[in-house]
Amino acid sequence: MTTRPFDARQTNITDLIQRLDDCATIVTGNRRLARALHQAFNQARSAEGHGAWPAPDILPWDAWLQQLWQEVVISSRVESARGVLLTSHQEYFVWQEILAEQSGDVSLQATNETVARIMEAWQTLHAWCIPCREADFGHNADTRLFWQLASMFEAKCRKNSWLSVAVLPGILQKYVQIDSLSVPNELVLTGFDEWTPQQSSFLRAFEQTGCSLQWLQLSGQPDRIGKLACADGRDEIRQAARWIRQRLEENPAARIALVVPELAAQREMICQTLDEVLIPQALQPEHHDRVRSYNLSLGKPLDRYPPVSLALDVLGLSKTVIELPHVSRVLRSSFIAGGDREMNARALLDARLRESGEWNLTLQKLLTNAARSGQPYSCPLLAECLSNLMKQMKVSLAPTSPGEWAQRFGQWLKAIGWPGERGLSSEEYQVIQAWQGVLREFSTLDWVIRSVSLTEALQQLRHMVAGTIFQPESAEAPVQVLGLFETSGLQFDHLWIMGLHDGVFPASSRPNPFLPLTLQREVDAPHSSARRELRVAAALLQRITTNATEVVISYPQRKGDEILDSSPLIDAFPALSEEMLAMGTQSAWRDSVYHSRQQEVLSEDVAPTFVGTGIPGGSKLFKLQAACPFRAFAELRLVARPLGRIQIGLNALVRGTLLHRVMEMVWAELDSSAALANLSPDGLNSLVAGKVNEAICEIAPRYPHTFGERLQALESKRLHALVLAWLEMEKQRPPFRVSGREMETELELNGLRINLRIDRIDTLEEGGELLIDYKTGEVKASAWFGDRPDEPQLPLYSLAFTDDGLAGIAFARIRAGDIAFEGVASEEVSISGVKSFENLKHTQEAASWDEVLAGWRQTIEQLVQDFMAGEARVSPKQYPQTCTYCELKPLCRIGESLEAAVDTEQ
């Protein structure tokens, strides 16, 4: 159980400042309290009229231990004090290396989480003085593994004269006991809620030397306290923000705290809401850098800041093959040379690479495209940077020490012009300094490892950066957003504790799996039992509620579909309402903007008429115009197309192209149903296999990093089975001859020339020709009909036949498990799935086949006429289905159009 070296006494800031005047050393439980005491001391000195004064001796616990160790090492009074104190990253690497050596079970890999839990177990073992007997660690596989790892870690430390931070208090205690460490006359400890046995023993050693130990707690008594039930987490944050704004309006100098148990998970939502309520100007363009009236105690992982994220992306360009999203981030960043000057060209280069359809590419391919002069996506500055980078990377990629890798990484970043040419903001400057600090710490891994490969070096660096939580320094703010354990010793005028529902407070127990549970509970180690969590939570709440004169405790009543209740620890507090809190009636900034809008009614403005004679896209024009006139206008005339989609493997378009090519080559060889029927099964199998292989060999060079041997084999197997299944179905048809394959033709409508490519034309035995369109998706014959047909391609093709030779049109639906024709003909043609127009629902009322063809002509001509006349209304055929896969919604603003229509009706 927790031991106390002495009892805590209540104190105030004035008393602590007086003790500092008397040369006392103050050790705090956290860094935030140490900064607050420094600030209070400096303000007091300034108020007394001093122009300069000695810095007070105020340190958080960990920094104090580090200072004591440095004193021991520097003083050289102890010959044995020659060990190297490992940093957290150095220790992590040692544990990771040991775990990789020891664990032969592939299910237990040296992941970040596993190593972190092992290091936590090691720290707990020493801090809580858990007995180390091998027999106690035979409980299960995890504890046995930890015993082995801990033994190996200790052996390595002894061999290399390394010291773990976990054992530092015990080492320092020995130096105190032999009078080899200077001890202050008075040591004041504040901001601690409990003491570990290791800390208690260490402090008793100080006390035995004659040092005056004082455990002091800053506290007060709240005048007003109560609890507030909120609808959900978002409503809770908004209520707290309104309350904070009201208190600041009443007293701009007020000290206010917002305490959030789950601060890491809710950080972004809290920042967004506080910005919206406290400083709505920050939401406006070019005002994001406005000074905030709040300060968050919790930073973000360093790799989530743009300059560092880009630096890691640049280092990742050293890979043999690079993923396109990785390259895209580099191209769109302003943190490399020429980022602003070539912004548009680099965006076009990004679009160009996406159109390739490949997920992976090489640095050389990126350089080749960037250096291509005369193109809109030409980026000469980028090409120069990439060339310099490649030269640097080719110097040496052989394994070397972390320190050498750190130098190389710095050179690579310099070669590409990182961190850019524009002036840096204060936050960006601090972030870059933090990055440089991580690189320096990465160099210190030389103490624990001699040589690593490039891949290992980058992995370790990424881990260090991701594990570095960074919060840029900012001016003092009246509002502090804190976690539950960061309020110790801090005093405020107003304090709001949010999120205290029964699911998080008290927290669930989570004992360390690498330590025997019985031993953890015997010493009352952190998180070892629900009883301990309840006791800690109750003590924590009691302490926090004395940190301000006004305290509000809130909880959400719902989280998604889950109904929540208040924590049982706050049941005794009186209930509050919004009216009782006097939070004001100010509306959200976005609501104010919306309600103050001035609407202008615009008459419909058609697009200019199309005056050209040709347009790319072929039949696509008709499909887009039928689906939504605006989409046809935007994509074909404004060229407002979405970026190419990239995915792992071949996309549907490429796979469809492969199928088309195989069918073309197969029927070029067979020519007719008679040739198909006369071919033996082995011969047909050989023919299809050969054509599939030929088609794959044609297209594979276009996708060298995607369409490798393994994927080629899988695609070959898929196509082979699919084509054979289709040909077996075609054997059941009446005789026919394939008279056209991928036939290109031109059609002129209303003065517009349309280029067509007809997949296949069959000449039937009974006369006439059947147009066939291969489809690998779900298609129905009903998609050909109506004023706005979903699939106008085959009706458009029918217009190319001006005589009476067209016998019908059909989809050839070729999908795994779904092989079938679906079509309509002038008369019954004995093809399963192809019906005569008299038997098809959509045409059975037509007097003749010519009437069906005339109807299609009228529909197609109307569509092209509308397109050329500038008909570009935002009018999806069937909302929202038509808009599901459309990526132009931000351009057409369909949502706002519908809202305006509803307002007009109302």
Side-chain angles (χ1 to χ4, degrees):
M1 60 180 296
T2 305
T3 58
R4 295 187 176 188
F6 35 76
D7 293 325
R9 294 193 300 107
Q10 303 302 310
T11 188
N12 54 47
I13 290 291
T14 303
D15 176 57
L16 290 178
I17 292 175
Q18 182 59 51
R19 292 176 183 274
L20 289 170
D21 286 339
D22 296 336
C23 298
T25 295
I26 295 183
V27 178
T28 65
N30 58 70
R31 295 183 180 277
R32 179 166 290 269
L33 178 56
R35 287 197 299 269
L37 292 179
H38 268 286
Q39 182 183 8
F41 181 84
N42 293 336
Q43 289 175 346
R45 283 289 170 268
S46 179
E48 293 171 358
H50 295 284
W53 51 86
D57 195 9
I58 307 172
L59 291 168
W61 176 269
D62 291 340
W64 180 56
L65 293 181
Q66 295 272 356
Q67 185 185 72
L68 292 177
W69 174 250
Q70 291 174 8
E71 180 185 335
V72 170
V73 173
I74 294 173
S75 66
S76 300
R77 284 183 288 177
V78 181
E79 185 65 25
S80 61
R82 298 182 182 275
V84 175
L85 184 62
L86 297 177
T87 66
S88 60
H89 293 299
Q90 290 172 334
E91 189 168 331
Y92 175 92
F93 189 90
V94 174
W95 281 109
Q96 185 183 52
E97 191 176 45
I98 292 173
L99 180 58
E101 293 174 1
Q102 179 64 20
S103 177
D105 184 359
V106 296
S107 64
L108 180 60
Q109 299 178 358
T111 62
N112 294 347
E113 179 64 24
T114 302
V115 176
R117 293 292 270 171
I118 290 173
M119 292 179 66
E120 176 190 293
W122 175 256
Q123 179 66 37
T124 301
L125 185 75
H126 290 276
W128 293 85
C129 300
I130 295 177
C132 292
R133 297 184 294 268
E134 184 174 2
D136 293 334
F137 283 78
H139 181 67
N140 57 39
D142 288 339
T143 56
R144 287 193 295 272
L145 175 63
F146 176 76
W147 177 265
Q148 295 170 351
L149 296 176
S151 301
M152 295 173 66
F153 181 78
E154 287 182 320
K156 273 206 169 190
C157 288
R158 284 194 300 270
K159 179 180 177 181
N160 297 282
S161 297
W162 296 337
L163 289 179
S164 168
V165 173
V167 304
L168 184 57
I171 299 294
L172 292 174
Q173 180 176 337
K174 295 177 181 179
Y175 293 140
V176 172
Q177 291 170 338
I178 61 174
D179 198 24
S180 296
L181 191 63
S182 59
V183 186
N185 293 327
E186 182 180 20
L187 180 62
V188 177
L189 303 153
T190 186
F192 295 89
D193 291 321
E194 65 177 354
W195 301 98
T196 68
Q198 185 187 50
Q199 288 175 319
S200 298
S201 177
F202 179 53
L203 292 173
R204 278 197 296 269
F206 266 75
E207 196 171 30
Q208 290 169 2
T209 65
C211 174
S212 173
L213 286 177
Q214 302 291 331
W215 180 18
L216 304 179
Q217 297 284 36
L218 292 166
S219 64
Q221 186 64 37
D223 295 333
R224 299 182 302 279
I225 187 170
K227 63 183 179 184
L228 177 68
C230 301
D232 54 29
R234 187 171 291 277
D235 176 61
E236 186 180 22
I237 295 173
R238 179 154 189 81
Q239 299 283 20
R242 290 175 54 207
W243 176 82
I244 291 171
R245 175 170 173 170
Q246 184 65 28
R247 297 303 178 268
L248 286 176
E249 289 178 351
E250 294 170 357
N251 178 13
R255 298 168 301 162
I256 304 173
L258 176 61
V259 180
V260 189
E262 297 178 297
L263 181 55
Q266 296 180 298
R267 185 184 192 279
E268 299 304 324
M269 185 164 58
I270 288 173
C271 289
Q272 179 182 355
T273 305
L274 291 178
D275 279 351
E276 185 178 324
V277 175
L278 301 184
I279 44 171
Q281 300 87 349
L283 301 179
Q284 299 178 24
E286 300 181 0
H287 289 274
H288 181 70
D289 291 334
R290 287 182 67 98
V291 176
R292 267 59 173 173
S293 55
Y294 64 89
N295 188 294
L296 270 77
S297 65
L298 179 67
K300 297 185 295 186
L302 189 58
D303 62 352
R304 288 175 57 185
Y305 289 91
V308 174
S309 176
L310 188 276
L312 292 172
D313 283 336
V314 169
L315 299 181
L317 296 178
S318 58
K319 296 179 181 178
T320 305
V321 177
I322 316 161
E323 293 181 351
L324 187 52
H326 182 157
V327 173
S328 181
R329 291 193 298 270
V330 173
L331 292 177
R332 291 182 282 111
S333 175
S334 63
F335 292 103
I336 59 176
D340 291 334
R341 286 181 285 168
E342 290 185 339
M343 178 173 57
N344 293 332
R346 293 183 187 184
L348 292 174
L349 176 58
D350 184 17
R352 162 81 176 179
L353 294 173
R354 289 171 181 269
E355 290 172 359
S356 70
E358 281 225 89
W359 181 266
N360 298 317
L361 72 158
T362 62
L363 185 57
Q364 181 60 56
K365 181 177 180 180
L366 175 60
L367 173 58
T368 300
N369 280 275
R372 194 164 288 165
S373 60
Q375 298 294 334
Y377 54 82
S378 175
C379 303
L381 294 177
L382 175 65
E384 183 181 355
C385 290
L386 292 176
S387 179
N388 293 336
L389 178 62
M390 290 183 67
K391 290 176 183 177
Q392 289 285 348
M393 288 180 172
K394 288 180 180 178
V395 171
S396 177
L397 295 179
T400 187
S401 67
E404 179 62 28
W405 279 122
Q407 291 185 10
R408 291 180 185 177
F409 293 158
Q411 292 168 356
W412 294 358
L413 292 174
K414 183 178 180 181
I416 205 168
W418 182 87
E421 300 165 340
R422 64 174 176 82
L424 299 173
S425 67
S426 173
E427 176 179 305
E428 290 168 347
Y429 176 79
Q430 294 180 61
V431 166
I432 290 171
Q433 293 302 306
W435 161 264
Q436 300 292 355
V438 172
L439 275 184
R440 288 192 294 271
E441 191 163 354
F442 179 74
S443 299
T444 66
L445 293 181
D446 287 355
W447 285 97
V448 295
I449 187 170
R450 294 181 179 178
S451 179
V452 289
S453 67
L454 171 60
T455 300
E456 292 170 332
L458 284 176
Q459 287 177 346
Q460 194 65 28
L461 180 61
R462 286 183 181 277
H463 166 75
M464 292 176 64
V465 173
T468 301
I469 304 300
F470 178 74
Q471 177 74 358
E473 294 184 6
S474 59
E476 287 298 321
V479 181
Q480 302 294 318
V481 183
L482 309 166
L484 270 176
F485 294 93
E486 296 170 310
T487 59
S488 182
L490 301 176
Q491 294 293 298
F492 304 95
D493 299 312
H494 311 280
L495 185 146
W496 184 302
I497 313 171
M498 62 173 286
L500 293 194
H501 61 83
D502 55 356
V504 300
F505 196 77
S508 301
S509 62
R510 47 180 184 88
N512 193 296
F514 292 103
L515 296 176
L517 181 58
T518 53
L519 294 183
Q520 293 183 68
R521 289 181 173 173
E522 281 179 12
V523 300
D524 201 27
H527 317 300
S528 60
S529 68
R531 180 178 300 176
R532 186 186 199 282
E533 294 301 311
L534 177 62
R535 187 181 71 252
V536 169
L540 187 62
L541 184 62
Q542 181 181 10
R543 191 254 300 158
I544 293 178
T545 52
T546 64
N547 285 15
T549 54
E550 180 188 18
V551 178
V552 177
I553 303 171
S554 66
Y555 66 94
Q557 295 177 298
R558 183 178 292 275
K559 183 179 181 180
D561 295 331
E562 181 184 2
I563 297 176
L564 305 175
D565 199 359
S566 63
S567 167
L569 295 175
I570 67 172
D571 286 345
F573 295 113
L576 299 172
S577 65
E578 293 184 38
E579 293 75 18
M580 295 171 65
L581 290 174
M583 291 189 287
T585 58
Q586 66 271 12
S587 60
W589 178 71
R590 60 182 179 183
D591 295 333
S592 299
V593 171
Y594 180 77
H595 293 305
S596 63
R597 70 191 187 280
Q598 295 181 354
Q599 292 184 325
E600 180 181 359
V601 179
L602 300 175
S603 59
E604 188 170 337
D605 185 15
V606 298
T609 58
F610 183 78
V611 295
T613 59
I615 194 165
S619 62
K620 185 177 182 181
L621 180 157
F622 301 90
K623 185 169 184 175
L624 294 180
Q625 187 72 19
C628 178
F630 177 80
R631 187 173 179 185
F633 171 75
E635 289 200 24
L636 300 179
R637 296 185 62 182
L638 300 182
V639 200
R641 292 189 290 270
L643 291 174
R645 288 185 173 273
I646 54 174
Q647 64 181 54
I648 298 176
L650 298 178
N651 59 39
L653 179 62
V654 176
R655 298 176 77 187
T657 301
L658 270 172
L659 178 64
H660 276 67
R661 183 61 178 141
V662 172
M663 296 300 291
E664 178 189 3
M665 291 190 292
V666 164
W667 284 112
E669 187 79 20
L670 293 176
D671 186 64
S672 67
S673 59
L676 173 62
N678 293 332
L679 201 61
S680 67
D682 289 343
L684 181 60
N685 186 70
S686 177
L687 171 66
V688 172
K691 299 306 179 185
V692 166
N693 182 65
E694 190 176 338
I696 287 177
C697 289
E698 282 182 4
I699 203 170
R702 304 180 205 170
Y703 308 95
H705 303 292
T706 299
F707 210 10
E709 291 184 5
R710 177 60 179 159
L711 186 55
Q712 288 182 35
L714 292 173
E715 189 62 18
S716 176
K717 183 178 180 181
R718 183 189 75 88
L719 284 171
H720 186 264
L722 206 56
V723 173
L724 280 179
W726 176 259
L727 293 176
E728 287 299 323
M729 193 272 295
E730 293 241 51
K731 288 181 180 181
Q732 312 307 316
R733 289 179 52 188
F736 64 90
R737 181 174 58 84
V738 178
S739 54
R741 301 173 305 279
E742 302 295 333
M743 189 182 78
E744 296 183 357
T745 186
E746 184 177 271
L747 181 65
E748 184 171 328
L749 293 172
N750 203 26
L752 185 68
R753 292 195 301 272
I754 310 295
N755 294 317
L756 307 179
R757 187 183 182 93
I758 302 174
D759 291 351
R760 180 170 142 196
I761 303 174
D762 283 2
T763 300
L764 306 181
E765 183 182 39
E766 57 268 29
E769 294 178 313
L770 178 68
L771 301 185
I772 297 176
D773 188 35
Y774 299 126
K775 293 293 184 185
T776 56
E778 178 64 34
V779 287
K780 298 288 185 183
S782 59
W784 295 324
F785 302 99
D787 294 336
R788 299 171 69 175
D790 294 330
E791 294 288 347
Q793 187 175 9
L794 280 172
L796 172 65
Y797 291 172
S798 72
L799 271 59
F801 290 78
T802 56
D803 53 18
D804 297 332
L806 183 63
I809 62 175
F811 284 133
R813 196 167 60 240
I814 310 177
R815 303 194 304 169
D818 185 14
I819 301 293
F821 276 112
E822 181 143 354
V824 61
S826 59
E827 58 186 28
E828 291 296 340
V829 292
S830 301
I831 301 176
S832 178
V834 180
K835 301 178 180 179
S836 68
F837 74 92
E838 294 101 332
N839 296 324
L840 189 67
K841 175 182 176 181
H842 298 277
T843 57
Q844 60 187 3
E845 295 183 1
S848 65
W849 176 242
D850 288 338
E851 186 176 327
V852 175
L853 296 178
W856 282 338
R857 174 174 288 277
Q858 181 180 352
T859 299
I860 296 297
E861 288 180 345
Q862 185 61 53
L863 289 173
V864 74
Q865 182 179 337
D866 290 344
F867 176 81
M868 298 187 71
E871 171 55 45
R873 289 176 297 117
V874 178
S875 176
K877 177 182 176 181
Q878 188 176 3
Y879 182 83
Q881 290 86 346
T882 304
C883 303
T884 301
Y885 299 106
C886 177
E887 298 188 51
L888 299 178
K889 290 188 281 290
L891 184 61
C892 75
R893 298 160 73 177
I894 179 68
E896 296 179 32
S897 301
L898 294 176
E899 289 178 7
V902 171
D903 291 343
T904 302
E905 292 175 2
Q906 294 176 345

